[in-house]
Each structure stands twice: as C-alpha cells, then as structure tokens.
Amino acid sequence: MDYPKPDFRPVSYSRVTLTELMIPTYANFGGKIHGGILLSLMDKVAYAAASKHAGSYCVTVSVDGVNFLQPVEVGELVSLLASVNYVGRTSLLVGIKVIAEDVRSGLVKHTNTSYFTMVAKDDSGSPTPVPGLSLESPEDTRRFVEAIKRREFKERYRLEFDSAVSTLAVPLELHLLAQERCQIAY
C-alpha cells in the first residue's frame, strides 16, 4: 500500500543513532576493530536515516570521506549518528558521525565522519522522488549548503580527472615516476 508522502520532512525526522558493542570477532589482525565492520554499520545507519526521510527503500550509490581518524578498540561502544543533510529529486546525502566510548574510563573519541549518497527506489526498483528537507536550525542550513558545495567540487573533480585521463600520454609522464617507489620491469 502506498502512503502519500509529505512535501517536506524536517531534518530531525531522519535522525538515527545506532549503537553497538565492539566484540572480539570484529577485530582485525592488529587487534583493532576492522574498518569493514565500521563501514557496514555506517551503511546500515545511512539506510535507516535515508529510508525514514524518503518513506521508501533506499540504496547506497556513493560514499565520500571515509577517513579513520582513530582506532576503535574491542569493548568500546560505537555510536553512529546520522541524519539527512541534503536532498535532490530522488537522492539524499546522509551525514554520519562515528564516536567510540570506553565505558570503563568514560573517554569518548570521534573516529569517523562520512557522507553516504543514497537513492530512493519505488517497488519496481526505479528511482522515486523524496520529500524536500525542512531545515530547522542554522546547523542544518550549513550542512545543506556544504552538501551543495561538496557536490559541485565532486563533479568538477570528476570532469577534470576524466579529461586528464582521456588525454594521458604515459610516455610523456614517465618523469612522474622518478621520485616514486616503483620500477618498470617490462
């Protein structure tokens, strides 16, 4: 059954927090929590925030800015705070802040900030329009404007990079390898 979607939903409607205890099976060979575990949790919370706002199934189309600022330890509580920062016609940009808390000491550390672009889908799997975003605070407005700028920079970078690659003449660029740790072995 299709429910009518509102024209706009407030940012607060999409806010989601996912908290999970980091257990030993999540650890990598170095004893820290595996980055793939954190990425999976970020994808889940992005889905939850986007789907709440959209009122429909959403899929991840890109991930920007996954920088692991600090390691996450076994035994810490990891909280992922997410909200929709920007909406297009069928797309949503979800901002995610990841924090880890050592429950014994009370120390809280910011470990990641990331941005997931999601697209809303209808029952047939086609992109479907999403409600607009009602900005409730100056912070919401800042995040929306930053998302516009992020999209502009990303598109500009893509066009510039595609142009550079399409005209790349490798023999003329071999000087770039002089200070790199590589050798040509052919």
Side-chain angles (χ1 to χ4, degrees):
M1 175 181 206
D2 285 333
Y3 296 98
K5 292 181 185 174
D7 290 339
F8 290 87
R9 282 200 169 119
V11 171
S12 59
Y13 187 82
S14 72
R15 283 200 181 100
V16 177
T17 300
L18 175 67
T19 301
E20 188 161 338
L21 176 65
M22 297 296 103
I23 59 177
T25 57
Y26 293 174
N28 62 22
F29 292 112
K32 309 299 182 192
I33 298 305
H34 196 291
I37 297 292
L38 296 172
L39 282 169
S40 176
L41 292 171
M42 286 188 274
D43 194 48
K44 287 177 188 177
V45 78
Y47 170 81
S51 294
K52 274 186 76 176
H53 181 86
S56 61
Y57 178 69
C58 292
V59 296
T60 305
V61 294
S62 74
V63 179
D64 293 337
V66 179
N67 296 309
F68 297 101
L69 306 174
Q70 297 187 61
V72 176
E73 307 287 341
V74 171
E76 291 182 331
L77 281 179
V78 169
S79 294
L80 300 96
L81 304 102
S83 65
V84 172
N85 289 357
Y86 172 86
V87 296
R89 194 178 78 72
T90 63
S91 65
L92 310 94
L93 182 79
V94 177
I96 302 168
K97 181 178 182 179
V98 182
I99 58 172
E101 178 182 0
D102 181 331
V103 294
R104 293 169 297 164
S105 69
L107 178 68
V108 175
K109 60 187 175 185
H110 175 209
T111 65
N112 297 63
T113 297
S114 189
Y115 302 93
F116 278 56
T117 301
M118 313 292 286
V119 169
K121 300 284 188 157
D122 63 19
D123 291 340
S124 67
S126 298
T128 188
V130 300
L133 195 59
S134 179
L135 307 175
E136 302 171 287
S137 70
E139 181 71 8
D140 293 345
T141 303
R142 181 189 63 77
R143 288 177 177 161
F144 196 94
V145 171
E146 279 183 6
I148 292 169
K149 290 297 184 188
R150 182 175 287 106
R151 195 176 78 198
E152 288 173 0
F153 286 129
K154 189 175 175 181
E155 180 61 15
R156 199 172 325 140
Y157 170 79
R158 186 187 66 75
L159 290 172
E160 191 173 318
F161 184 78
D162 288 352
S163 175
V165 168
S166 70
T167 60
L168 184 64
V170 174
L172 298 177
E173 302 297 338
L174 292 178
H175 67 278
L176 296 174
L177 304 180
Q179 299 302 314
E180 299 298 327
R181 292 188 38 81
C182 68
Q183 66 179 11
I184 297 174
Y186 58 89

